[in-house]
Amino acid sequence: MNDNAYHSIDFGALTRAGEGLTQWRALAMGFITVLACGVIFWLMQFSGARIGGIVGVLLMVVLAIAGFVVWVAGASAVGVLLMDKARNLPLRSIGEAARFGLGSVPKFLLLGAAVMVAIIVFMLVAALIYFVCKIPVIGAVLAFVAHPLLVLVAAGAIIACMWVVFPLFAPAVWSGLNFRQALASVFAIARNRLVQVVLMMMVLYIILAVVGMLIATGVFPAMVSLTGMATNIMGGGYNTYGQMGGMGAAMAMFSNASMVGALMGLSVLGMLLFALVSLVAMMGVNVLYLQAADGLDTAGTASDIEGAFGMMKEKAREAADKAKAAAERAKQAATERSQAAAAAREQAQEEMNQRERDDVMARFDDADRQTTQQEAAEQELAAREAAEREAAAREAAARAAAEREAQAAHARAEAQRQAAARAAAPSPDVPPAAGASGVMAAGVAGAAAAAGASGASGLSGAATRECRACHHTIDANDAFCEHCGAKQDV
């Protein structure tokens, strides 16, 4: 930086900022922009209050984006009209200015993105340095040097952005430069003429304060007095001295149609006054940029920016390649994990199926064993029942045989007795000795019959016995009682 850089700027040229008040095209464009932004803001409030929900939120977001585009495009249209005036060029039409303003919106978006990227990169570098400063002993020395330097770098960047980049990037775009040229011009000004630009910005702010004070000294008393008179005449919430009479009086003002019209007109007047002050500011910024960029060589800065952009592209390409490679590795790893997971699921499913088959086979085996045991138990029960029936049949046959033998013996004894009786009866033809011998024979026969009957009874008694539980008569060889089922001692 040389001494001529200081003398090349004419601070008196900033007095041309007042010429913005005489540009009716720029004033009309500014008023239309402010009015359109006001309508969009009202629509945002309406969508949020009346519609609500997700639809209302989405509509508010869309309207916010539309409001930003309208504001930037309208401000750029006003700025290019004032830039033509500052460069003493023929003014273009409002339509041409509006088209130029719409074309300038992407440049401002790119500036915002570049600033965000620069902030993120600076923060990452600072975080890396602070991590290095955690090293014992050496870290303390490094922090003693690095922390103040980082603070100074951040402060210089913030000052450059607030006083040079943000205020002068728009005039650079309005002068017809593309994004890279405008950025190179602004960086060249920040590198070579930062102090002069800051001083000129302070002078411009003083001029804006003077203009605003001049407008306020006339508008504010007139607004208060005339609004009070209108309220007293048309009705509303102001008292005789033009002061508000409380919240109820303010609500009463909006309940009067005449006062609503008057307040709306006052709002439009406020928009016009804001547009006038904005015209003075934008005209002053245009003049300041032309003064700061006059005779400044931006070729070196442009080459530095090209190199920075090339490096950023290279880094971005490398980052993209690394990200692509990492994505491929992650994809391959995910594929391997998915295949391993699929194999594990198949193995687990196979094991589960095998366990189910084993369980089914075990249930079948248990069922077969239970069936076999049940069949064996049924067979044993059937055999026992058959043995019991056979024993009962043998017992019944033995009793029947005994009864038949007893009946036969009884019949023989009865026959013998009758024969003996007949033989004992006196017969005229038989002598007494014969009668005595017949009686003796009959007695012998009766004794033999009695002995046979007693023998039969003894046989019958020896073939049966009583149950030890219910005392029912059972066969001597029965193991169970046929009446109660109690087990017997054989």
Side-chain angles (χ1 to χ4, degrees):
M1 187 184 301
N2 51 30
D3 296 335
N4 294 328
Y6 290 94
H7 298 290
S8 63
I9 296 179
D10 185 10
F11 288 90
L14 291 177
T15 57
R16 294 188 59 193
E19 295 180 5
L21 298 174
T22 63
Q23 303 301 311
W24 66 269
R25 291 183 183 179
L27 178 62
M29 192 68 204
F31 175 73
I32 293 172
T33 301
V34 174
L35 184 61
C37 291
V39 172
I40 292 175
F41 180 74
W42 179 82
L43 290 176
M44 288 177 61
Q45 289 184 331
F46 178 82
S47 62
R50 297 297 180 88
I51 299 177
I54 299 177
V55 178
V57 173
L58 292 177
L59 186 58
M60 288 181 65
V61 172
V62 172
L63 290 174
I65 296 173
F68 173 78
V69 172
V70 170
W71 178 262
V72 175
S76 297
V78 175
V80 74
L81 290 173
L82 295 177
M83 179 59 74
D84 292 340
K85 177 61 178 177
R87 298 167 65 183
N88 296 320
L89 297 177
L91 298 181
R92 64 192 74 190
S93 63
I94 294 179
E96 294 176 350
R99 288 191 295 270
F100 182 88
L102 287 175
S104 302
V105 174
K107 299 177 183 179
F108 291 101
L109 292 177
L110 288 175
L111 176 64
V115 171
M116 290 300 298
V117 170
I119 293 173
I120 293 173
V121 171
F122 178 79
M123 291 299 178
L124 290 177
V125 172
L128 181 61
I129 293 175
Y130 288 141
F131 274 113
V132 174
C133 291
K134 294 176 68 177
I135 301 175
V137 182
I138 300 176
V141 178
L142 181 60
F144 177 78
V145 178
H147 184 65
L149 290 178
L150 290 175
V151 172
L152 288 177
V153 171
I158 293 172
I159 292 173
C161 289
M162 292 182 59
W163 293 88
V164 178
V165 177
F166 294 155
L168 298 185
F169 180 79
V173 172
W174 298 337
S175 64
L177 301 179
N178 57 28
F179 176 75
R180 292 185 180 180
Q181 293 173 349
L183 201 60
S185 177
V186 172
F187 282 169
I189 294 172
R191 178 188 297 178
N192 299 314
R193 296 176 179 176
L194 178 61
V195 178
Q196 300 94 306
V197 170
V198 172
L199 293 176
M200 293 183 70
M201 289 295 296
M202 294 178 65
V203 174
L204 179 60
Y205 289 154
I206 293 173
I207 293 174
L208 291 176
V210 172
V211 173
M213 184 176 60
L214 289 175
I215 295 174
T217 54
V219 173
F220 185 74
M223 181 190 68
V224 172
S225 59
L226 292 177
T227 303
M229 181 182 295
T231 303
N232 290 328
I233 294 175
M234 295 184 296
Y238 279 89
N239 56 24
T240 307
Y241 299 100
Q243 297 176 352
M244 289 291 292
M247 185 61 68
M251 296 302 295
M253 289 178 61
F254 290 99
S255 64
N256 191 320
S258 300
M259 286 304 302
V260 169
L263 293 177
M264 292 181 64
L266 193 62
S267 301
V268 173
L269 178 60
M271 293 180 185
L272 285 173
L273 295 177
F274 178 77
L276 287 174
V277 177
S278 300
L279 290 178
V280 175
M282 296 173 71
M283 186 67 181
V285 170
N286 287 335
V287 173
L288 190 152
Y289 170 75
L290 294 176
Q291 289 291 319
D294 187 21
L296 189 64
D297 186 12
T298 61
T301 306
S303 63
D304 293 340
I305 292 177
E306 289 292 338
F309 274 108
M311 186 178 297
M312 290 176 61
K313 287 183 179 179
E314 185 66 24
K315 295 294 184 182
R317 189 179 299 108
E318 292 177 0
D321 294 338
K322 292 181 180 179
K324 186 177 180 181
E328 290 294 334
R329 290 194 298 270
K331 183 178 179 181
Q332 184 177 0
T335 303
E336 294 176 356
R337 286 195 299 270
S338 62
Q339 292 176 355
R345 286 196 299 270
E346 291 178 359
Q347 184 177 359
Q349 186 66 31
E350 184 64 25
E351 293 177 355
M352 185 181 296
N353 294 335
Q354 185 64 33
R355 287 196 298 270
E356 290 179 354
R357 287 194 295 269
D358 294 341
D359 293 341
V360 171
M361 293 300 297
R363 287 197 294 271
F364 282 156
D365 294 340
D366 293 340
D368 291 339
R369 285 196 298 271
Q370 291 177 0
T371 303
T372 303
Q373 294 175 358
Q374 185 176 1
E375 291 177 355
E378 291 177 353
Q379 291 176 358
E380 182 180 358
L381 181 61
R384 188 167 61 249
E385 291 178 353
E388 291 177 355
R389 286 194 299 271
E390 184 178 357
R394 286 198 303 269
E395 183 181 358
R399 283 199 300 270
E403 289 177 358
R404 287 194 300 271
E405 185 68 25
Q407 290 177 0
H410 181 71
R412 286 194 300 271
E414 184 65 26
Q416 291 176 0
R417 187 182 61 78
Q418 292 178 0
R422 285 193 303 270
S427 175
D429 297 329
V430 178
S437 61
V439 171
M440 186 179 295
V444 172
S454 64
S457 302
L459 178 64
S460 177
T464 61
R465 62 176 177 173
E466 290 183 354
C467 175
R468 65 179 184 177
C470 64
H471 303 288
H472 184 72
T473 301
I474 60 175
D475 190 76
N477 297 323
D478 288 344
F480 297 91
C481 179
E482 64 179 356
H483 183 265
C484 66
K487 184 177 181 180
Q488 306 296 322
D489 293 332
V490 179

